[in-house]
């Protein structure tokens, strides 16, 4: 994948900000340049390395833009663009997603009313402030207000943990319709991306009309957005669900196509082209010597199952979580795909809370819950005091000593192995918030950042990973999906240190976190780090989040051997020492 798209986006952002400032002509030139950069058949990055003159060869790219392209490729940013961003610090994407609000309007509203976010825009419209601005009337203000709810929904991607149950229920429902031969989730939901734009459901059936009708009748649907011959969309619980119906013979090809990602599919199609084959949503076709450009032209050689699409390409079937064009094509060709961890491989949970801190269940209830879930072992890791622990949630060293005694007592009665632990804080300077002698009396120490979650956290987390008592770095970036991005972390460096010091890095399975992310997990495993997949459960129901963590691990190519809590209790014990 070339970076043309990324470079183009810089100039689109540039154009928006110039519009916001009220500059004439230039924005149009920048947008045109962006479009040509995006469509350019070669890597513009390569041209930039040759110099400005080479970049100037692109249509619509003059000297000024060419020098900025070179600047961007060389330094990773464009100074003039950064200055504009400081001058207009607005969430342009969010604000302009409101119908009728373009960059120019956004600029005016920032200058006149200081509006930076969708929330600011909403408050200003509700307060009647917008109609006081020159050029805006009461009607415009009302339109903005109407557009905001919709924009918010469209702009914010839904959490996997919210979308997945909905998707599964619609699949379960469709499974009862007897005209349906097969039904599967597709799209980002099947790939278990952390956030979901919309839910895609694919059905194989010879009676599309009946399937569409049944779908539109789903009792949980809030509204039907559209219903066609073979496609329909509805809205349920704030999420859009797209249905496509194909004939059973084409189900595998359609499933492959609609699972994506786009980047994976492009790579698959290119591999097909190299072999005189054609892959599309209808099947895989031998097109040697075929002129006809009809989608189904050529000799059909597969498409009923996904495997029948990959097989003629001389590659293994690729698990959906890996389909991001991050090396899975090459691995599938080499027969070298990872043997991915499964939820059933997980034998215990190493980061959980009780009512001693902010949990809602007792130590005994958590132990019994873990046993009922099927775990062989459980670590109790309540919060220690420290920055970010508001309202007396965290335990001081004395309280932790008292709790330790209670955990030991409960462990004696428990049917599973219990580790007495703590979730210590990693302060901004990398200090761990619990006394060393106490830490060494505990079986397991999770150390996590909870405050000061912006900027680069690499050194901070490396300090924690090096701490002799720390076993697991918990939710390393501190991100909250859709709410805050968390720390910037050089995962390769952190994971190298963690591997050297026998410290595991966590995938926190809480669907609001999923931290580390799949791509970071892949990097961490590549440098030899061990991963712990923990739910951070605050009640026995919290154990159910495990699968979101496991599938995030699969997106990071994790095998059971990479995952600490897929090991038996003796191996975990020796890792902890
Ligand atoms: P999302 O919904 O934003 O979380 O992400 P996806 O991956 O579910 O994307 P979506 O719903 O737009 O489309 C589902 C899949 O269908 C996508 O992963 C790949 C495939 N697809 C959709 N449109 C195109 C297209 O124009 N070209 C290609 N190659 N694939 C497409
Ligand atoms: Ca989707
Ligand atoms: Ca879709
Ligand atoms: Zn935590």
């Amino acid at each position: 994948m070339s970076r043309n798209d990324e470079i183009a986006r810089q100039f689109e952002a540039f154009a928006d900000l110039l519009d916001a400032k009220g500059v004439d002509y230039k924005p149009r030139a920048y947008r045109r340049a962006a479009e040509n950069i995006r469509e350019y058949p070669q890597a513009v990055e390569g041209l930039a390395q040759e110099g400005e003159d080479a970049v100037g060869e692109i249509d619509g790219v003059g000297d000024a833009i060419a020098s900025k392209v070179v600047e961007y490729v060389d330094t990773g940013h464009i100074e003039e663009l950064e200055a504009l961003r400081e001058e207009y610090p607005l969430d342009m994407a969010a604000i302009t997603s409101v119908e009728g609000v373009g960059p120019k309007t956004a600029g005016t509203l920032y200058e006149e009313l200081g509006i930076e976010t969708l929330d600011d825009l909403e408050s200003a419209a509700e307060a009647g402030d917008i109609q006081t601005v020159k050029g805006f009337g009461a009607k415009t203000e009302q339109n903005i207000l109407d557009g905001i709810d919709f924009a918010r929904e469209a702009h914010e991607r839904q959490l996997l943990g919210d979308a997945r149950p909905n998707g599964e229920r619609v699949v379960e429902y469709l499974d009862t319709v007897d005209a349906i031969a097969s039904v599967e989730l597709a799209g980002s939901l099947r790939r278990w991306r952390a956030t979901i734009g919309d839910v895609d459901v694919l059905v194989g059936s010879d009676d599309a009309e009946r399937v569409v009708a049944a779908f539109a009748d789903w009792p949980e649907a809030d509204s039907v957005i559209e219903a066609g011959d073979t496609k329909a969309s509805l809205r349920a619980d704030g999420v859009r669900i797209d249905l496509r119906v194909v004939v059973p013979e084409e189900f595998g090809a359609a499933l492959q196509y609609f699972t994506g990602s786009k980047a994976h599919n492009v790579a698959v199609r290119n591999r097909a082209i190299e072999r005189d084959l054609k892959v599309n949503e209808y099947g895989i076709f031998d097109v040697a010597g075929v002129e006809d450009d009809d989608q189904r032209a050529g000799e059909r050689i597969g498409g009923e199952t996904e495997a029948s699409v990959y097989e003629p390409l001389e590659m293994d079937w690729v698990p959906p979580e890996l389909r991001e064009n991050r090396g899975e094509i090459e691995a599938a060709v080499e027969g070298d795909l990872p043997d991915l961890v499964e939820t059933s491989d997980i034998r215990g949970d190493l980061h959980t809370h009780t009512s001693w801190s902010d949990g809602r269940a007792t130590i005994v209830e958590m132990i019994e819950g873990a046993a009922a879930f099927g775990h062989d072992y459980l670590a109790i890791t309540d919060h220690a005091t420290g920055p970010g622990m508001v309202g007396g949630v965290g335990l001081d060293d004395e309280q932790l000593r008292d709790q330790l005694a209670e955990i030991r007592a409960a462990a004696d009665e428990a049917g599973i192995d219990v580790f007495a632990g703590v979730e210590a804080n990693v302060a901004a300077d990398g200090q761990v918030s619990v006394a060393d002698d106490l830490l060494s009396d505990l079986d397991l120490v999770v150390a996590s950042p909870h405050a000061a979650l912006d900027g680069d956290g690499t050194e901070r987390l490396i300090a924690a990973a090096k701490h002799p008592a720390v076993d697991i770095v918990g939710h390393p970036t501190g991100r909250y999906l859709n709410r805050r991005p968390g720390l910037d972390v050089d995962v390769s460096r952190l994971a190298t240190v963690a591997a050297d010091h026998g410290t595991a890095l966590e995938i926190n399975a809480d669907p609001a976190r999923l931290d580390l992310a799949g791509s970071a997990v892949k990097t961490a495993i590549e440098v030899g780090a061990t991963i712990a997949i923990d739910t951070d459960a605050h009640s026995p129901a919290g154990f159910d989040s495990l699968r979101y963590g496991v599938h995030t691990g699969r997106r990071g190519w994790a095998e059971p051997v990479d995952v600490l809590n897929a090991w038996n209790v003796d191996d975990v014990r020796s890792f902890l020492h």
Side-chain angles (χ1 to χ4, degrees):
M1 288 274 103
S2 81
R3 292 169 65 200
N4 293 6
D5 191 67
E6 174 196 338
I7 297 167
R9 279 199 311 264
Q10 307 308 311
F11 289 92
E12 280 160 356
F14 218 133
D16 286 350
L17 288 163
L18 290 167
D19 263 334
K21 207 174 153 80
V23 175
D24 284 332
Y25 305 118
K26 247 184 165 179
R28 256 184 65 191
Y30 277 45
R31 287 205 180 88
R32 196 166 99 81
E35 206 179 308
N36 292 339
I37 287 169
R38 178 171 288 118
E39 301 300 333
Y40 200 75
Q42 290 151 39
V44 171
E45 185 178 15
L47 295 184
Q49 280 149 2
E50 288 170 40
E52 285 176 30
D53 287 351
V55 179
E57 295 292 297
I58 303 170
D59 260 2
V61 175
D63 293 350
I65 293 178
S67 84
K68 291 187 177 70
V69 171
V70 172
E71 185 190 351
Y72 182 72
V73 169
D74 282 352
T75 68
H77 61 258
I78 302 167
E79 236 168 76
E80 222 183 296
L81 173 59
E82 293 312 317
L84 273 173
R85 283 191 168 128
E86 270 178 41
E87 198 180 339
Y88 290 89
L90 23 120
D91 187 351
M92 187 66 87
I95 291 176
T96 57
S97 66
V98 177
E99 204 175 351
V101 182
K104 208 163 182 158
T105 304
T108 307
L109 292 174
Y110 173 71
E111 284 164 3
E112 298 296 325
L113 301 170
I115 290 171
E116 294 181 14
T117 64
L118 212 51
D119 286 345
D120 294 348
L121 184 65
E122 182 167 41
S123 329
E126 273 166 358
D129 291 339
I130 289 177
Q131 53 177 299
T132 67
V133 178
K134 191 164 158 276
F136 293 77
K139 185 151 189 297
T140 314
E141 191 174 66
Q142 187 55 48
N143 286 344
I144 288 176
L145 214 43
D146 292 344
I148 284 174
D149 276 353
F150 183 80
R152 201 172 256 129
E153 215 167 54
H155 188 68
E156 278 215 348
R157 299 171 57 81
Q158 217 187 16
L159 300 186
L160 172 66
D162 295 330
R164 184 88 202 175
N166 278 328
E168 286 171 353
R169 281 202 306 280
V170 81
V171 165
E172 210 173 288
Y173 163 76
L174 289 172
D175 232 355
T176 65
V177 177
D178 51 0
I180 289 179
S182 32
V183 47
E184 294 266 6
L185 294 171
S188 52
L189 202 53
R190 185 164 179 241
R191 306 197 312 279
W192 296 79
R193 259 191 80 172
T195 62
I196 302 296
D198 64 12
V199 173
D200 300 285
V201 181
L202 185 72
V203 163
S205 170
D206 286 315
D207 192 349
E209 198 180 331
R210 248 181 88 194
V211 177
V212 168
F215 178 69
D217 273 347
W218 187 38
E220 290 186 46
D222 295 327
S223 62
V224 177
I225 300 165
E226 55 192 13
D229 293 341
T230 59
K231 291 204 287 196
S233 298
L234 53 77
R235 190 166 286 287
D237 211 3
V239 67
R240 180 191 168 104
I241 306 183
D242 284 347
L243 169 81
R244 284 183 192 75
V245 188
V246 301
V247 293
E249 301 78 62
E250 296 180 349
F251 183 78
L255 184 59
Q256 198 286 326
Y257 180 87
F258 289 112
T259 295
S261 68
K262 243 183 205 175
H264 173 85
N265 287 354
V266 167
V268 166
R269 281 203 304 269
N270 287 341
R271 189 167 167 82
I273 291 165
E274 288 163 13
R275 287 169 171 65
D276 275 337
L277 302 173
K278 174 178 72 184
V279 170
N280 58 29
E281 59 186 291
Y282 308 107
I284 178 165
F285 304 87
D286 187 335
V287 289
V290 175
E291 297 291 320
D292 190 346
D293 60 4
D294 184 273
Q295 296 263 41
R296 292 185 178 85
E299 184 200 346
R300 191 187 150 88
I301 57 173
E304 187 161 4
T305 63
E306 273 197 331
S308 75
V309 176
Y310 285 105
E311 200 263 339
L313 300 173
E314 296 168 274
M315 60 192 290
D316 290 337
W317 175 86
V318 180
E321 294 93 330
L322 302 186
R323 299 185 195 174
E324 300 289 349
N325 199 25
R326 291 196 201 120
E328 75 279 10
I329 303 281
E330 295 78 355
V333 168
E334 298 293 319
D336 213 10
L337 285 169
D339 200 352
L340 296 175
V341 64
E342 292 175 21
T343 304
S344 58
D345 292 324
I346 302 296
R347 304 175 188 225
D349 205 322
L350 300 176
H351 177 175
T352 66
H353 297 274
T354 73
S355 46
W356 276 76
S357 65
D358 58 351
R360 289 178 300 280
T362 64
I363 293 170
V364 170
E365 284 166 347
M366 290 304 282
I367 293 172
E368 285 172 353
F373 188 81
H375 283 322
D376 299 342
Y377 49 86
L378 174 74
I380 303 283
T381 58
D382 272 308
H383 289 287
T385 50
M389 285 299 112
V390 282
V393 162
L395 308 179
D396 63 26
D397 289 3
E398 199 185 321
Q399 292 167 313
L400 282 169
R401 287 254 174 233
D402 292 344
Q403 192 198 21
L404 174 57
E406 193 174 313
I407 297 173
R408 294 274 184 245
D412 286 341
E413 307 291 313
I416 60 173
D417 285 290
V418 177
F419 296 107
V422 67
E423 180 180 12
N425 271 281
V426 181
D429 62 1
Q431 294 280 328
V432 173
S433 67
V434 178
D436 285 347
D437 65 319
L438 175 53
L439 289 178
S440 56
D441 285 347
L442 294 166
D443 305 323
L444 181 150
V445 176
V446 179
S448 330
H450 289 97
L453 295 169
D454 42 28
D456 193 295
T458 309
E459 296 306 330
R460 173 182 183 177
L461 298 175
I462 281 179
K466 280 183 173 169
H467 191 297
V470 170
D471 301 297
I472 298 172
V473 177
H475 48 73
T477 75
R479 77 172 178 176
Y480 261 111
L481 294 163
N482 284 349
R483 276 163 49 199
R484 64 172 190 229
L487 297 165
D488 292 326
V489 179
D490 181 336
V491 175
S492 176
R493 279 187 56 216
L494 169 63
T496 303
V497 172
D500 280 352
H501 286 77
T503 305
L505 300 180
E506 183 176 79
I507 299 172
N508 191 292
D510 178 345
R513 293 188 185 268
L514 297 179
D515 178 15
L516 295 173
S519 53
V521 171
K522 182 165 192 273
T523 304
I525 289 173
E526 278 166 2
V527 300
T530 300
I531 301 295
I533 304 178
D534 298 327
T535 63
D536 202 350
H538 283 65
S539 69
F543 293 124
D544 292 336
S545 297
L546 179 63
R547 61 187 189 135
Y548 299 113
V550 170
H551 286 275
T552 300
R554 291 167 64 91
R555 288 176 62 79
W557 297 49
E559 302 189 345
V561 63
D562 302 314
V563 179
L564 176 59
N565 49 324
W567 304 355
N568 68 45
V569 71
D570 294 330
D571 291 345
V572 173
R573 253 189 245 287
S574 25
F575 182 89
L576 296 177
H577 277 287

